[in-house]
Amino acid sequence: MRRLTPLAGLILIAAAVSGCSLLGINTDRQTLPPMSSTSSTQSPLGQTSVTPTPVSKPAGLVLTGKGLGTLAFGSAVAPAEASLRGILGAPSSVDENAGCALSPAWTRTLSWQNFRVIFEGTVATKTTMLTLRAWELRSPFNKPEMLTLAAPLTTTMTLAQLESNFPNLTQSTLGGDDTIADTGAGIFYYYPGGAQAAGVIAGGAMMTCE
C-alpha cells in the first residue's frame, strides 16, 4: 500500500464522502493591533497640530510551489506558525489528528477562512516535531487579503487555461470525473466532477490517502 501526501483539502472532501469529519479546535486569542502613537508640532501661528504616527503593516504572503513568502516547505512548526500568526492574526481554527488512516502521521492544520496551512510529523502519535508540508485554498476563495498566488496563477483558472500556461501540466483522476491538475511547479488544482472552476488550489505536498 502506498501513500500519497496530497491536497489537504482533498482529505476533507474524501472525509465528507465517507461520512468522517475533523474536529476543529479554536482556543486562540485574537491579537490586537498595536496602538498608534502621535507626535505634535508647533505651527508658525502658534497652533499645535497633532500628526498620527503610522503603524506599519506586515508584508503579505505570496503562495508558491516552494512555500509561503519566505517560509519554505520543511520549515519547523514553531517559528513558521509564529510568523504566520504575526502576519495573518490568530487562525479561525486549529485541527490536530493522525492524518491518513492508511499511513498515519501527526498533522496540525491552521485555518484562516478558507485558507489552510498544514504541518506534518513523521510519527502517528501527538508530537511537536512537525514541519511545514502544504498550503491550500478552498472554494469559495475568501482568503485573507494579504495572500496572493504567484503569477500567472489565479483562483479562476480553468483546466484549459492551465494547459495553456503550463506545458508540463499532468492530470490524474480521483474517482469519477474529479481531476487533479499538477502544474509541475509544486502547485495543484482540483476540479470536482468535471467542473470548469477549481474547488481546491494547493501548494507543496499532496495530503490525501490511497
Side-chain angles (χ1 to χ4, degrees):
M1 183 175 299
R2 67 191 183 90
R3 178 175 181 269
L4 295 178
T5 56
L7 281 165
L10 301 189
I11 283 184
L12 300 183
I13 295 171
V17 174
S18 62
C20 299
S21 63
L22 298 177
L23 176 61
I25 305 172
N26 184 8
T27 59
D28 299 288
R29 298 178 180 177
Q30 183 68 34
T31 302
L32 296 178
M35 294 181 65
S36 61
S37 59
T38 59
S39 61
S40 61
T41 58
Q42 192 75 18
S43 70
L45 298 179
Q47 298 175 332
T48 300
S49 61
V50 178
T51 303
T53 301
V55 177
S56 60
K57 293 183 179 180
L61 288 176
V62 178
L63 306 178
T64 73
K66 296 182 179 180
L68 304 84
T70 60
L71 295 176
F73 293 125
S75 298
V77 60
E81 181 171 333
S83 178
L84 289 170
R85 287 172 178 265
I87 295 172
L88 302 175
S92 54
S93 67
V94 178
D95 301 316
E96 288 193 312
N97 55 68
C100 177
L102 299 178
S103 183
W106 197 256
T107 302
R108 180 176 175 85
T109 302
L110 308 180
S111 300
W112 289 266
Q113 299 172 316
N114 277 7
F115 172 65
R116 300 180 181 185
V117 179
I118 301 95
F119 297 91
E120 189 181 61
T122 58
V123 295
T125 54
K126 184 177 177 64
T127 176
T128 58
M129 302 298 290
L130 308 172
T131 57
L132 179 59
R133 294 286 285 160
W135 57 260
E136 73 169 33
L137 289 170
R138 292 171 55 83
S139 177
F141 299 110
N142 56 333
K143 59 182 178 58
E145 62 180 8
M146 289 183 175
L147 299 177
T148 56
L149 278 169
L153 298 173
T154 68
T155 58
T156 59
M157 293 185 81
T158 65
L159 189 55
Q161 289 173 325
L162 284 178
E163 291 171 340
S164 297
N165 283 276
F166 296 92
N168 295 325
L169 186 78
T170 59
Q171 302 177 38
S172 59
T173 58
L174 188 68
D177 296 328
D178 296 350
T179 299
I180 298 175
D182 180 355
T183 63
I187 295 180
F188 307 86
Y189 278 63
Y190 169 71
Y191 295 90
Q196 292 297 305
V200 178
I201 304 171
M206 297 185 69
M207 305 293 292
T208 58
C209 304
E210 182 181 63

